[in-house]
Amino acid sequence: MTQRPTLPPLLMRLPPPPLARPALGLALTAFLRRIAAREPAILSRLGPYAQARFLLDVSDAPFLLLMQPQARRLTAHPRHAPPPEHDAAIRGGLAAFLAMLHGAEDGDALFFSGELQIGGDTSAVLALRNALDDAELDLTEELAALTGRPLGRWLRRGSALVARRSGLVLSRQEVMP
């Protein structure tokens, strides 16, 4: 199994600011809606699973995330409380999630190696993974487009620097044939 970078443990021990979770939920929902508007094929690719509720348990993050594609909603939930109702769950470290999302690692390999674990409706998880693979998302580019031209360039450079120093895959990697 590949040694992946993790978030500093200190982040997990710090209590979040009082409005952090609702503010994060609003920001993530707006971001998800923007991606869905720019990449409508993601929802159609999900088919009947667009109505599923996906629990994203990034183990080295302070929150659980609940994604509801049909409602175009992504909300943050406290880690110390029981998880919200969900149909399918994906659990693993941030590095594995980012590597899969950006195409640097094969999703199947991450699942078979145990770096990502799935629970609940496995067909829904497979549909989500396939939809995200087909969309070829790049979170850095999505954020850069959201911030506009001058900040976008700064964000791309900052993201590349953070990626080099942390080992996290923060943007889509071009694979040469």
Side-chain angles (χ1 to χ4, degrees), residues 13-25:
R13 291 193 297 264
L14 290 175
L19 297 176
R21 205 171 32 83
L24 179 62

Side-chain angles (χ1 to χ4, degrees), residues 128-146:
L128 177 63
R129 188 205 53 142
N130 289 338
L132 294 174
D133 278 352
D134 288 350
E136 296 186 350
L137 293 176
D138 185 321
L139 293 183
T140 296
E141 287 303 316
E142 293 293 337
L143 285 170
L146 186 65

Side-chain angles (χ1 to χ4, degrees), residues 85-97:
E85 290 284 324
H86 58 278
D87 302 301
I90 307 173
R91 293 177 174 83
L94 178 63
F97 273 100

Side-chain angles (χ1 to χ4, degrees), residues 2 7 26 29 31 38 41 71 81 88 92 95-96 101 109 112 121 123 136 150 170:
T2 304
L7 293 177
L26 288 172
T29 293
F31 191 56
R38 288 171 50 111
L101 182 67
F112 288 126
D121 189 340
S123 295
E136 296 186 350
L170 298 177

Side-chain angles (χ1 to χ4, degrees), residues 86-168:
H86 58 278
D87 302 301
I90 307 173
R91 293 177 174 83
L94 178 63
F97 273 100
L98 290 172
M100 180 181 67
L101 182 67
H102 290 120
E105 295 280 341
D106 178 61
D108 290 339
L110 291 167
F111 292 123
F112 288 126
S113 72
E115 290 187 67
L116 291 176
Q117 298 91 42
I118 59 174
D121 189 340
T122 54
S123 295
V125 172
L126 183 60
L128 177 63
R129 188 205 53 142
N130 289 338
L132 294 174
D133 278 352
D134 288 350
E136 296 186 350
L137 293 176
D138 185 321
L139 293 183
T140 296
E141 287 303 316
E142 293 293 337
L143 285 170
L146 186 65
T147 61
R149 182 167 282 183
L151 289 177
R153 276 183 285 179
W154 176 85
L155 191 129
R156 285 181 193 94
R157 281 190 227 132
S159 175
L161 177 65
V162 169
R164 280 192 304 275
R165 292 196 175 166
S166 70
L168 294 172

